[in-house]
Amino acid sequence: NKKNKEKVNKLNMEWAAKNRDTVNANIKKWKQKNKDLVYFYTATRRAKKKNATPAWADMDRIKYTYAHCHWLNKTFGHNMHVDHIVPLNGKNVCGLHVHTNLQIIPAEENLRKHNKLLVQE
């Protein structure tokens, strides 16, 4: 698995796409069994976002970005996420929770990206 990480990830993503109901059921079961970890991860994410939000951030524009993403998903049936271009807690760099650091991208791309800064060439 370590030698063929990209191939294994691709196969896993293909399987998950074909078995969406099974994946969702497993996630739901895991969350029910591990409520303490879910609360921990949620609280940690919320704290990181709060600490990464400067006083001068335009909260109306941030809220608009999330609302627009929700509208796209609801109106057109898209599966989009609001993504931080520069991750709030990346390996080499940490971004801010400001409207200029947000983008709406397909969920698959955001989940594939994880917590990385993707540099376009």
Side-chain angles (χ1 to χ4, degrees):
N1 283 349
K2 290 181 182 178
K3 291 180 183 178
N4 298 310
K5 189 175 181 179
E6 288 182 26
K7 185 178 179 181
V8 170
N9 284 344
K10 183 180 177 187
L11 291 172
N12 286 341
M13 285 178 31
E14 288 172 1
W15 181 88
K18 292 177 186 173
N19 299 284
R20 182 60 40 205
D21 292 337
T22 303
V23 171
N24 288 340
N26 288 340
I27 290 170
K28 187 175 181 178
K29 253 191 265 182
W30 183 88
K31 285 182 176 183
Q32 288 172 344
K33 285 183 180 179
N34 298 283
K35 288 185 179 185
D36 54 336
L37 284 176
V38 172
Y39 293 142
F40 170 74
Y41 295 143
T42 303
T44 302
R45 173 77 177 160
R46 193 172 36 247
K48 286 178 185 173
K49 192 183 287 188
K50 184 178 181 181
N51 288 335
T53 306
W56 49 264
D58 188 342
M59 296 308 290
D60 289 335
R61 290 183 75 177
I62 292 172
K63 288 176 189 175
Y64 172 80
T65 303
Y66 283 94
H68 185 65
C69 182
H70 177 73
W71 178 81
L72 288 171
N73 291 335
K74 186 177 175 183
T75 305
F76 298 107
H78 293 322
N79 190 11
M80 307 294 277
H81 284 182
V82 176
D83 172 59
H84 288 90
I85 300 165
V86 179
L88 297 183
N89 194 28
K91 185 176 180 180
N92 298 317
V93 63
C94 295
L96 295 175
H97 184 60
V98 293
H99 74 279
T100 55
N101 191 32
L102 298 176
Q103 64 181 347
I104 298 173
I105 62 174
E108 302 83 35
E109 186 178 331
N110 191 35
L111 296 174
R112 192 176 321 120
K113 178 183 169 195
H114 295 289
N115 201 26
K116 297 179 185 130
L117 173 63
L118 299 180
V119 180
Q120 295 181 354
E121 298 176 19

